[in-house]
Amino acid sequence: MTGLTRRTFLGAAAGAGAATVLGSQVAGAATTEKGCFTGGTVYIGSYTSGATGHGLDVTSRSGAALSPVRTVPGITDTSWFDRSADGKTLYVTNEGDPDGYVSALNIAEPAKPKLLNKVSSKGGAPTHLSVHSSGKYVLAANYSSGSVVVLPIRPGGKLGAATDLVTHHADTGQAHAHQVVNDPAGRWVLSVDLGADSVYVYSLDVGTGKLSLHQQLKLPAGAGPRHLAFDRTGQFAYILQELRPEVTVASWDSATGTLKALSVVPAVPAGSTGELYPGEIILSRDGKFAYATVRGPDTLATFAVSGATLTLVSTVPTGGNWPRHVALDPSESWFYVSNQRSGTVTWLPRDPATGLPGAPAGQLAVGSVNSVYFAS
């Protein structure tokens, strides 16, 4: 499956192109010690190949509202973000297919990213990356190649050529690596593969930059696991499935590096029909709530979290079409949803007591948008 075909399925070709603020502007959301974070720089990723996006945009916030965007030239098909431990370097995927890249940008001045270099991801459509807990490597998941690459971080933040590349294999069809992250203890690397219906657990030799397979947790055929998020204790992982609107709850033992599937929880109300494709899963810092976007009904689902128990408590419209990604702002007072087909980032208030999202309060148009990342 090519990157363009994948984006056709995900609806990246549709969306608005103008970068304008639409809808109501939320007032009275000033920052206080106990209140809502309102300032800072925000990065927005969008698709450019066969699509209407800009690649990488920089915006700022006033209250909850995002200002019109400023595009960073030369950064194509940006679809995921992470930064170095010192906060000075931003790493982004460039989801080209068959030739993907990862770019490193200096963000000493957050509103003025400067490209340091970009290197090959050794595969197609790198859709996710993360900085390893050692601070020595960037790990990236190549979707169309079904592989995970290890890229060393050089002094000053530049990336070096890959030190390792591991390729997944599906029992039927094609592997599609969709995420690669550390476990909370920083001992293991986990990669979620949609095509192989598996979560792979690796150890990483921080001296050589080589991965070694430790476990492959196979989920039911056709589940299509996309992303996972750990609970606050680090003892449970919630694996969001894309091809079935469900979350698999798994136990995680960091001492042995063992993931065990326990139960499956629906991400949509009973009786839901039609297109049902979950996109992103995140947890609140207090560990009490998980949130997932679902494309098709275009909703944001809220789950109550209690260890091995995950309970769907609410679904609300995101205010856009095909919500690929959701992020909480640093104060966790607002959700920011990237609606790919409508080409809009919408923001929804979050009730701090109940954890529930409210109705969309405004939006920013960014064609073929796929993700939002807070620099500060």
Side-chain angles (χ1 to χ4, degrees):
M1 181 181 294
T2 67
L4 182 57
T5 300
R6 185 172 94 85
R7 290 193 211 117
T8 300
F9 166 69
L10 295 178
T20 56
V21 177
L22 307 174
S24 61
Q25 300 300 302
V26 179
T31 302
T32 67
E33 291 184 359
K34 299 180 181 179
C36 173
F37 171 95
T38 61
T41 300
V42 183
Y43 303 122
I44 300 176
S46 57
Y47 291 118
T48 56
S49 298
T52 59
H54 309 147
L56 174 59
D57 288 320
V58 181
T59 107
S60 59
R61 273 208 306 169
S62 176
L66 298 177
S67 67
V69 300
R70 180 178 67 82
T71 300
V72 180
I75 312 297
T76 58
D77 293 317
T78 301
S79 62
W80 203 264
F81 303 86
D82 201 3
R83 58 183 159 183
S84 58
D86 63 10
K88 295 180 180 179
T89 309
L90 181 71
Y91 298 101
V92 304
T93 54
N94 305 127
E95 201 177 319
D97 195 1
D99 301 314
Y101 295 88
V102 175
S103 293
L105 298 102
N106 181 294
I107 53 168
E109 296 182 78
K112 299 178 181 180
K114 298 177 181 178
L115 181 65
L116 295 172
N117 74 330
K118 72 174 184 177
V119 300
S120 171
S121 70
K122 309 295 287 186
T127 189
H128 187 276
L129 61 71
S130 61
V131 175
H132 186 257
S133 58
S134 66
K136 295 183 177 181
Y137 301 96
V138 169
L139 309 167
N142 292 307
Y143 178 88
S144 65
S145 302
S147 60
V148 173
V149 67
V150 184
L151 302 170
I153 297 175
R154 302 302 188 200
K158 288 185 177 181
L159 292 170
T163 57
D164 202 7
L165 179 75
V166 295
T167 301
H168 302 160
H169 300 282
D171 291 337
T172 60
Q174 185 177 353
H176 291 301
H178 216 304
Q179 184 193 39
V180 57
V181 295
N182 268 135
D183 77 307
R187 298 175 184 172
W188 306 95
V189 171
L190 291 85
S191 179
V192 183
D193 194 296
L194 184 150
D197 292 311
S198 296
V199 180
Y200 294 83
V201 180
Y202 295 96
S203 61
L204 175 67
D205 185 324
V206 296
T208 64
K210 300 294 184 181
L211 292 166
S212 297
L213 181 62
H214 178 74
Q215 182 199 8
Q216 180 183 355
L217 173 67
K218 289 190 175 183
L219 298 179
R226 180 181 172 95
H227 283 183
L228 65 76
F230 286 95
D231 83 324
R232 190 179 184 184
T233 69
Q235 296 178 334
F236 298 94
Y238 309 110
I239 306 165
L240 186 66
Q241 298 169 183
E242 177 172 340
L243 303 184
R244 297 181 185 175
E246 300 169 340
V247 180
T248 294
V249 179
S251 62
W252 170 248
D253 186 335
S254 64
T256 62
T258 304
L259 197 63
K260 181 181 179 181
L262 301 176
S263 63
V264 176
V265 178
V268 294
S272 297
T273 59
E275 292 183 316
L276 301 168
Y277 297 116
E280 177 65 319
I281 185 167
I282 59 174
L283 267 72
S284 58
R285 276 194 302 268
D286 63 13
K288 295 180 179 179
F289 302 97
Y291 304 96
T293 59
V294 182
R295 295 162 295 179
D298 300 333
T299 53
L300 178 62
T302 300
F303 302 86
V305 175
S306 180
T309 302
L310 198 68
T311 306
L312 179 65
V313 295
S314 169
T315 60
V316 301
T318 65
N321 187 351
W322 217 247
R324 178 182 174 88
H325 181 268
V326 61
L328 278 164
D329 78 310
S331 72
E332 299 199 331
S333 299
W334 292 90
F335 298 96
Y336 289 79
V337 181
S338 298
N339 301 288
Q340 191 174 354
R341 285 184 176 173
S342 57
T344 54
V345 178
T346 51
W347 44 93
L348 294 72
R350 177 176 180 265
D351 187 311
T354 66
L356 296 177
Q363 64 183 31
L364 175 74
V366 180
S368 302
V369 64
N370 58 52
S371 55
V372 168
Y373 185 82
F374 289 87
S376 56

